[in-house]
Amino acid sequence: MSSETKTNYPALYTLITVFFFWGFIAAGNSIFIPFCKNYFSLDQFQSQLIDFAFYTAYYLGALLLFIFGAVNGKDLVGKWGYKRSIVYGLLFSALGAGAMIVAVEANVYAGMLVGLFIVALGFSLQQTAANPFAVLLGDPKTGTSRQNLAGGINSFGTTIGPIIVGFALFGTAAAVSDDQIKGLGLDKVILLYVGVGILFLIAASVFFFSKKLPAGISNEPMEKANKAMTTLIIMTGLLAIMFAPVFNSYNSPEAKKIVEIEKSIEPITKDIKKLSDNLVKIKKDKVLTEEEKNIASESIKSEIKVLELSVEPQHKEIQEIRHPLEKYRMYWLSGALLVIVGGLLFANRSAQKKNDGWGAMKYPQLVLGMLAIFTYVGVEVAVGSNLGELLKLPEFGSFQSSEIAPYISMYWGSLMIGRWAGAISVFNLTASKRKLALIIVPLIAFSVIIGVNTLAQQDMSSLYYYVICVLLQVLVFFLSKNKPARTLILFGLMGVTAMLIGLFSTGTVAIYAFLAGGLACSIMWPSIFTLSITGLGKYTAQGSAFLVMMILGGGIIPPIQGKLSDIIGIHASYVIPVICFSYLTFFAIAVKGILKRQNIDVDAIEAEGAH
């Protein structure tokens, strides 16, 4: 393709709708999780299976594509062509939307998980083809700018996804109590997925019938990596073994006994919940005097205490059964995490001794990068997906599930803020204009999030001062100087600091700190990706495929945090993101040393790629 090649804008605009879908559905899940928890009476781990189904599909889709290519010696997506691969991916996602509609109609949670799994399986195929396809749609020199534009649209999808999904679930911007959720109809969810399914089909038709779109067929032979393939298959089998006892434990005699006791005290539990909600309303009341509030509050507290004492024996019995059961589940989930970490470290160690058959995995920067992508996607999803449950705590505002959309939107919007700022470097700006843009663009992105939510009749007044966190991120951008290792170290430290502040505080300060996790995550994908594939040579494409597989982290880490929260509480469970951000900081430092030993100038590398 010559350097004079003009960008195929109609095709590009069609392509970036695909990126929008990924963000829209993924972020919308953060609203769907607390809704399903109340609607289907789930624990936090069970509600996190939405993420498990969604992100495991990404992993299995990428793994199957790799296995097929390794067995046949040719990349399946390259054989089909990027155009056809995206069409197939969109049709698969449309099929998933259909499965979702059937499951919602039947009111079956497991069926909804299957529907989301199929949608994401289609996304996996789309993602494998879409990034290189964006490069094909014009001058290769401007390929990165097209990828960043797509990434920006993806982030816009994550910003409005929670708002639209929230509207589909709750109907209006008015608060719906969690006790009322069970009585809500799911007809709007059906309409949402009918709409999404139709959009998938329209996009597939546009791609299929467009004669201007290049086929994007590639007949490049795949580099052999039989040992890597065998290791990944074994890891997948072990993951299934680790999760099976956890799922089975929900049908155990102990689990059934807990459900039986909970049903026996359900009327009293509901009364306690209603009184607690009234207590919160009184505290927020602007008409009552402080004295009237105190009198009313003391009266309600006395009622709550009497009711709590009446069910205390049953609660003790539940705890005696639940504690060993939750520990048993946590052991197996920890085993799943060990499979990933241990499997990758084993691959790295074995490849160092004898690199034949390991393909791209013989490079330590890639293996550590696979673990970094796993951790990054895991922490990005875990912080957002557990946020709804956190905001229900009295010390965090006692929000109902119907009231959290602005916060979820701001969290995912924080990724948009960072990505829009990160995209500035692709434009040929003078140093002074670039500095100005680094200040203005994040503020514009922040204003877009506030504006979109305000138009959706959401009260955003409690988030206005979050602009302070945005300005702190701008400062980190200036310090990072667009160097991937330096950027990742600084943003990793920003993430650790934010999570620690959130852990050791409550209220608005803690909420802002946890939301700032989105700002910390925002530019990590291109930095990790760039550092991981640098120096891979002919193994670059294979290395990229391995990295995409590690989106699996979004399916493993959130359920682990969910189960930990069932044991130690949702607030304390945010120790998991602290560990994740700590590893990402370590990776940046470690890979810098690895690349220097390979005589690669780390400071000369510039981050590329869109997530």
Side-chain angles (χ1 to χ4, degrees), residues 423-446:
I424 292 167
S425 60
V426 304
F427 299 103
N428 209 6
L429 300 176
T430 61
S432 58
K433 285 182 180 177
R434 187 176 178 277
K435 285 177 183 176
L436 189 63
L438 266 178
I439 298 168
I440 294 172
V441 169
L443 294 175
I444 291 171
F446 175 73

Side-chain angles (χ1 to χ4, degrees), residues 501-515:
I501 291 171
L503 268 175
F504 292 105
S505 62
T506 55
T508 303
V509 171
I511 292 171
Y512 279 18
F514 288 132
L515 291 177

Side-chain angles (χ1 to χ4, degrees), residues 29 167 179 295 313 315 331 350 364 404 423 474 501 507 513 566:
N29 287 345
F167 182 78
D179 288 335
I295 293 168
H315 279 303
Y331 287 144
S350 301
I404 64 170
V474 170
I501 291 171
D566 288 332

Side-chain angles (χ1 to χ4, degrees), residues 286-417:
K286 293 176 182 178
V287 178
L288 295 173
T289 65
E290 283 302 315
E291 189 179 348
E292 288 171 330
K293 283 182 183 181
N294 290 333
I295 293 168
S297 296
E298 288 304 316
S299 173
I300 290 172
K301 283 176 184 176
S302 298
E303 286 184 68
I304 290 173
K305 194 167 186 180
V306 170
L307 290 172
E308 284 177 340
L309 285 169
S310 70
V311 293
E312 192 174 339
Q314 290 91 334
H315 279 303
K316 278 185 178 177
E317 189 180 354
I318 287 170
Q319 284 307 313
E320 284 170 7
I321 302 169
R322 177 170 280 159
H323 188 66
L325 184 61
E326 296 294 20
K327 280 179 74 176
Y328 168 80
R329 290 166 177 166
M330 196 65 200
Y331 287 144
W332 283 106
L333 287 171
S334 299
L337 187 62
L338 194 62
V339 166
I340 299 295
V341 177
L344 291 176
L345 293 179
F346 163 78
N348 183 42
R349 190 178 177 84
S350 301
Q352 294 310 304
K353 291 178 180 176
K354 190 179 181 183
N355 59 36
D356 288 349
W358 285 104
M361 277 195 190
K362 67 184 177 183
Y363 293 94
Q365 64 263 41
L366 177 77
V367 178
L368 291 177
M370 289 171 72
L371 194 53
I373 289 287
F374 175 87
T375 306
Y376 153 70
V377 178
V379 72
E380 176 187 282
V381 176
V383 172
S385 294
N386 286 289
L387 197 59
E389 189 64 19
L390 183 81
L391 293 172
K392 290 181 184 178
L393 297 177
E395 60 268 34
F396 283 87
S398 297
F399 290 92
Q400 303 292 334
S401 296
S402 63
E403 298 174 304
I404 64 170
Y407 294 91
I408 301 296
S409 178
M410 184 57 78
Y411 172 73
W412 289 103
S414 294
L415 280 100
M416 182 180 83
I417 292 168

Side-chain angles (χ1 to χ4, degrees), residues 45 87 99 109 126 235 281 303 343 378 464 474 512 550 611:
F45 166 77
V87 171
Y109 180 59
Q126 293 164 39
M235 282 167 61
K281 285 176 186 175
E303 286 184 68
Y464 290 160
V474 170
Y512 279 18
M550 289 299 105
H611 175 32

